[in-house]
Structures are given as C-alpha cells and as structure tokens.
Amino acid sequence: RLIRHLPSLNIGQQPSIGFVSKIRSSNVSSCFNTLKLFSTSKLETNETAGISREEMPFVHFTGEKPKPKFKSPRKLASKLFHELNVETINKSAEGNPNVLGVPFRVGDAVEIEMISQGGVKSKDTDKVRGLVIGKVNRGLGSSIHIRDVLFGQPVERKIPLHSPLLKSLKVIEQNFLHKRKKRVKRAKLYYLRDRNPIESRVTK
C-alpha cells in the first residue's frame, strides 16, 4: 500500500539525499494518514453501535477528576519525617510573617529585632544590624550570617530564621555592598573577612 506513494527511480541510478528524504517524508505522511483514517472509522463504528465517546476505552479524556493518590501507611521513616518537617515549616511561616515573609538577598543590610533575655514572652528586646554575607536553606535549621563592625572590631552572627525569639526583620538597604551600582553575583560573601572592615560596616 505504501509503494505507490514512493517516488520513481530508474534502474542503475544512484539514490540521492533528496530522494531518501522524500521517501522518509512520504512514508511518514502515508502512515499518519492511514492511522488517522483508521481512528476516524473506529470512532464512527463505535458511535453507530450506540457507545458514547466517554465510554470508549481509547478516549483518555473524561470529565471526571482524577482520584487522589493512595497514601500507604507503610512508609520509610525519612518520608514521614519530611512530611512532618514541611508541616512545621509552613506553620512557622504563618505564625511569624514579620521575619519569614520579608524578602531579602545576600548583600542587603538588615535589622533584626530579637529577644535578648527572659524567654519567649519577655519584652526585653534588642536590635541587631548587619550585612547578609550568606544564607543557609535547611528546613527548620535555615539561618543567615550577618556581619557588622562594632567599636572597630568585625562581628559575625549566625541567626536561625525559625527561632521564636525573633520578632521582626527589616531591610535597611538593598544591595548595600555595591551601593546599587552592580548586582551581587555570589551566594556567599566570605571573602569580606579578608577585606577592609569598613566595607561591611552597617552600624554608624
């Protein structure tokens, strides 16, 4: 059936590249047309037999919603721990949007208000400023590294973001490192430890 679609070739003639491509294209198009005719004829015969399109086995789309995936109670401990970790992270983000809902990047100058002493319900707070030199995204252990200069000495702090002692986080200035002249291209700014401390000084 496909031979009649092939182009003619004289005896003793070498097939060219265009001839081979024409054979391939004719084969593909003829096969596609045959499958199309077969599928339409199959649909017509089933419809005439009284079977609707939704009940046909080869029609995959139906108006029904897919069934939810069955969650097996027999799972690995790592999977269960991951689900509990995700739920706790979402609950922490909803409970403290003043810290976890503030967008900031490495290279920004931030000010963090946190409880200095007395526990979670204490009102004795302190404000800490610094340049963000690194972020650690590790679930509940996510934290940021900030660097500042106090009394001429560089000070670095590692602050956990999901800690209940944090009250608020405010971005003082975006791209504080380069003064918005060019963007920060690094994820960690640890090279500032070997530079002049004045470059990472936030507190005046």
Side-chain angles (χ1 to χ4, degrees):
R1 186 180 295 176
L2 300 176
I3 295 177
R4 61 182 180 179
H5 298 289
L6 300 178
S8 58
L9 182 67
N10 297 329
I11 299 174
Q13 182 181 357
Q14 294 293 332
S16 61
I17 299 175
F19 179 79
V20 175
S21 63
K22 191 178 290 185
I23 289 177
R24 290 177 181 173
S25 62
S26 61
N27 284 338
V28 171
S29 60
S30 57
C31 291
F32 178 75
N33 292 333
T34 349
L35 290 172
K36 189 176 180 181
L37 290 172
F38 176 75
S39 61
T40 50
S41 61
K42 185 85 174 178
L43 280 170
E44 290 174 358
T45 52
N46 286 333
E47 286 180 352
T48 51
I51 303 174
S52 62
R53 286 177 177 264
E54 289 76 12
E55 296 176 355
M56 295 179 188
F58 52 87
V59 177
H60 302 286
F61 176 76
T62 57
E64 300 177 359
K65 295 182 179 180
K67 296 181 180 180
K69 185 178 179 181
F70 175 71
K71 292 186 178 181
S72 175
R74 295 173 293 180
K75 283 188 175 181
L76 296 176
S78 60
K79 292 185 178 180
L80 296 175
F81 181 74
H82 175 69
E83 292 180 358
L84 292 174
N85 200 7
V86 170
E87 290 179 2
T88 312
I89 290 171
N90 295 334
K91 186 177 179 181
S92 176
E94 293 175 359
N96 198 358
N98 294 331
V99 176
L100 300 172
V102 179
F104 64 94
R105 297 183 60 184
V106 175
D108 296 349
V110 297
E111 182 184 65
I112 300 175
E113 184 181 359
M114 56 190 302
I115 297 174
S116 58
Q117 59 181 359
V120 180
K121 297 182 180 180
S122 175
K123 296 182 180 180
D124 190 1
T125 60
D126 190 12
K127 292 184 178 179
V128 177
R129 291 185 176 186
L131 173 68
V132 181
I133 63 173
K135 293 174 65 177
V136 179
N137 297 321
R138 202 171 292 164
L140 286 174
S142 300
S143 58
I144 59 172
H145 292 264
I146 61 175
R147 180 181 174 87
D148 197 7
V149 178
L150 300 176
F151 303 103
Q153 295 295 326
V155 179
E156 288 190 11
R157 294 183 177 92
K158 182 181 179 181
I159 300 177
L161 293 176
H162 289 276
S163 172
L165 299 177
L166 302 184
K167 292 299 181 181
S168 65
L169 187 147
K170 183 176 67 174
V171 179
I172 301 174
E173 184 179 348
Q174 294 182 351
N175 199 352
F176 177 81
L177 182 62
H178 299 307
K179 308 300 179 183
R180 297 188 179 181
K181 294 181 181 179
K182 58 179 181 179
R183 65 185 184 91
V184 179
K185 298 181 181 179
R186 297 193 180 191
K188 301 290 188 294
L189 304 177
Y190 296 150
Y191 69 91
L192 293 175
R193 296 168 180 170
D194 301 329
R195 297 289 183 88
N196 191 349
I198 300 177
E199 295 183 11
S200 57
R201 181 179 180 182
V202 179
T203 305
K204 302 298 181 181

